[in-house]
């Protein structure tokens, strides 16, 4: 299976010069926004809220720009904390790590979607508790359309990346079957791969959202000392669940199709 995988993907962890330039610019802008948020006066709290949303966008953009480094290392770190007692889990982890470019292209859009939802919900809840009224007077459907479209696009982008990549994994599944791996274990492998991608996106998305909310909350502490730190993960986890289902379907469909074909004919092609 290792021979069939493109091990050259592991070399793509190094970022290009263009990525480093974009990464540096985004870091400088984010630091500037953090400083700006801390210096906004009490009369401009709404401006601070908008600055917080911009901060979330730039922080998540930093994660995407540095994806070749951040995403594989995050994936490797947290998966190593899980006991590798199941063969399906071990193969799934190695599969995700060996396909660095695929992991990056799958995790990054979903992490951005999760992080934006976490930051937006956290900031609106924080402002609502301070102002004793909703942060925005727009109807719920307006907010849903405004944020739903890019979030849906991000989730579909992740699943399409997986779908296109897994069209060529037939020989890998055939070797697993030839070595005695049951269809049940292959389906478990598919489930674990989907879970690894999704959990990695949750970690990175929550990191961006948490930093945004915490930075804004610290600024509020200068004027309103009794304000509580609020972080509601449920809406972001709903987005993660939606992304997980799409990724699972995108990996499962090619796997099921491959299992219907003859092992000999698959390997001979």
């Amino acid at each position: 299976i290792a021979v069939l995988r493109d091990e050259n993907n592991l070399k793509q962890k190094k970022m290009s010069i263009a990525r480093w330039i974009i990464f540096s610019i985004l870091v400088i802008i984010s630091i500037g926004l953090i400083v700006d948020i801390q210096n906004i006066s009490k009369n401009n709290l709404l401006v601070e809220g908008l600055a917080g949303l911009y901060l979330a966008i730039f922080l998540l953009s930093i994660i995407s720009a540095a994806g070749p480094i951040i995403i594989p290392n995050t994936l490797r770190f947290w998966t190593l904390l899980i006991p590798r007692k199941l063969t399906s889990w071990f193969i799934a982890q190695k599969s995700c790590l060996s396909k660095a470019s695929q992991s990056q292209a799958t995790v990054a859009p979903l992490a951005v979607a999760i992080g934006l939802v976490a930051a937006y919900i956290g900031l609106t809840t924080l402002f609502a508790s301070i102002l004793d009224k909703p942060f925005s007077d727009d109807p719920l459907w307006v907010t849903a359309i405004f944020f739903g479209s890019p979030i849906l696009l991000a989730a579909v982008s992740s699943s399409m990346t997986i779908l296109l990549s897994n069209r060529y994994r037939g020989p890998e599944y055939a070797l697993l079957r030839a070595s005695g791996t049951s269809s049940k274990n292959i389906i478990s492998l598919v489930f674990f791969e989907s879970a690894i991608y999704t959990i990695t996106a949750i970690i990175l998305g929550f990191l961006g959202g948490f930093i945004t909310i915490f930075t804004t909350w610290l600024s509020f502490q200068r004027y309103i000392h009794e304000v509580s730190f609020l972080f509601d993960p449920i809406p972001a986890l709903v987005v993660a669940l939606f992304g997980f289902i799409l990724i699972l379907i995108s990996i499962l469909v090619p796997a099921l199709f491959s299992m219907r074909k003859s092992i000999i004919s698959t390997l001979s092609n």
Side-chain angles (χ1 to χ4, degrees), residues 185-262:
N185 285 336
I186 292 178
I187 293 175
S188 298
L189 165 66
V190 169
F191 177 85
F192 286 137
E193 280 191 29
S194 305
I196 287 172
Y197 287 132
T198 305
I199 294 174
T200 304
I202 290 174
I203 293 172
L204 295 175
F206 272 22
L207 177 63
F210 181 86
I211 293 175
T212 299
I213 300 170
F214 184 72
T215 301
T216 309
W217 174 77
L218 279 180
S219 180
F220 284 162
Q221 288 292 302
R222 293 180 299 146
Y223 308 116
I224 310 172
H225 300 289
E226 64 275 8
V227 63
S228 301
F229 179 78
L230 303 171
F231 183 80
D232 184 7
I234 301 301
L237 290 177
V238 171
V239 174
L241 177 61
F242 177 69
F244 169 76
I245 293 173
L246 288 180
I247 293 174
L248 178 62
I249 294 174
S250 301
I251 303 178
L252 184 61
V253 170
L256 292 176
F257 180 77
S258 176
M259 285 189 289
R260 295 181 59 184
K261 298 176 65 176
S262 167

Side-chain angles (χ1 to χ4, degrees), residues 49 53 117-131 133-136 143 147 213 230:
L53 287 177
V117 171
Y120 179 77
I121 296 299
L123 289 174
T124 52
T125 305
L126 187 61
F127 273 90
S129 66
I130 295 172
L131 303 174
K133 65 176 183 179
F135 175 70
S136 174
T143 304
F147 281 93
I213 300 170
L230 303 171

Side-chain angles (χ1 to χ4, degrees), residues 7-254:
E7 299 297 337
N8 290 327
N9 271 325
L10 295 176
K11 299 179 182 179
Q12 297 180 11
K13 292 179 182 178
K14 295 182 179 179
M15 299 205 308
S16 63
I17 296 177
R19 276 187 176 271
W20 277 114
I21 293 174
I22 295 173
F23 172 78
S24 302
I25 294 173
L26 291 172
V27 169
I28 293 172
I29 295 174
S30 298
I31 293 174
L33 280 172
I34 292 175
V35 173
D36 187 53
I37 289 174
Q38 299 304 315
N39 293 328
I40 291 178
S41 66
K42 184 177 182 180
N43 297 325
N44 292 320
L45 293 182
L46 292 178
V47 175
E48 190 166 340
L50 293 175
L53 287 177
Y54 289 137
L55 176 61
I57 293 172
F58 282 108
L59 287 175
L60 294 168
S61 298
I62 288 174
I63 293 174
S64 297
I69 294 177
I70 293 178
I71 292 176
N73 286 312
T74 302
L75 192 155
R76 177 182 291 102
F77 174 76
W78 80 262
T79 53
L80 287 177
L81 299 177
I82 308 297
R84 293 181 289 181
K85 295 181 179 180
L86 294 177
T87 303
S88 299
W89 171 262
F90 177 78
I91 297 176
Q93 182 206 31
K94 293 301 180 183
S95 176
C96 293
L97 287 173
S98 68
K99 298 179 175 65
S101 58
Q102 174 181 301
S103 298
Q104 176 194 342
T106 303
V107 171
L110 187 57
V112 170
I114 293 171
L116 284 177
V117 171
Y120 179 77
I121 296 299
L123 289 174
T124 52
T125 305
L126 187 61
F127 273 90
S129 66
I130 295 172
L131 303 174
D132 292 327
K133 65 176 183 179
F135 175 70
S136 174
D137 295 327
D138 293 332
L140 180 61
W141 65 270
V142 173
T143 304
I145 292 176
F146 182 77
F147 281 93
S149 300
I151 289 170
L152 179 62
L153 181 62
V156 171
S157 174
S158 295
S159 61
M160 287 304 297
T161 299
I162 286 290
L163 181 60
L164 294 175
S165 300
N166 279 270
R167 290 172 55 192
Y168 306 102
R169 289 183 66 182
E172 182 177 329
Y173 293 129
L175 279 179
L176 285 171
R177 291 163 58 203
S179 65
T181 305
S182 64
S183 298
K184 180 180 178 181
N185 285 336
I186 292 178
I187 293 175
S188 298
L189 165 66
V190 169
F191 177 85
F192 286 137
E193 280 191 29
S194 305
I196 287 172
Y197 287 132
T198 305
I199 294 174
T200 304
I202 290 174
I203 293 172
L204 295 175
F206 272 22
L207 177 63
F210 181 86
I211 293 175
T212 299
I213 300 170
F214 184 72
T215 301
T216 309
W217 174 77
L218 279 180
S219 180
F220 284 162
Q221 288 292 302
R222 293 180 299 146
Y223 308 116
I224 310 172
H225 300 289
E226 64 275 8
V227 63
S228 301
F229 179 78
L230 303 171
F231 183 80
D232 184 7
I234 301 301
L237 290 177
V238 171
V239 174
L241 177 61
F242 177 69
F244 169 76
I245 293 173
L246 288 180
I247 293 174
L248 178 62
I249 294 174
S250 301
I251 303 178
L252 184 61
V253 170

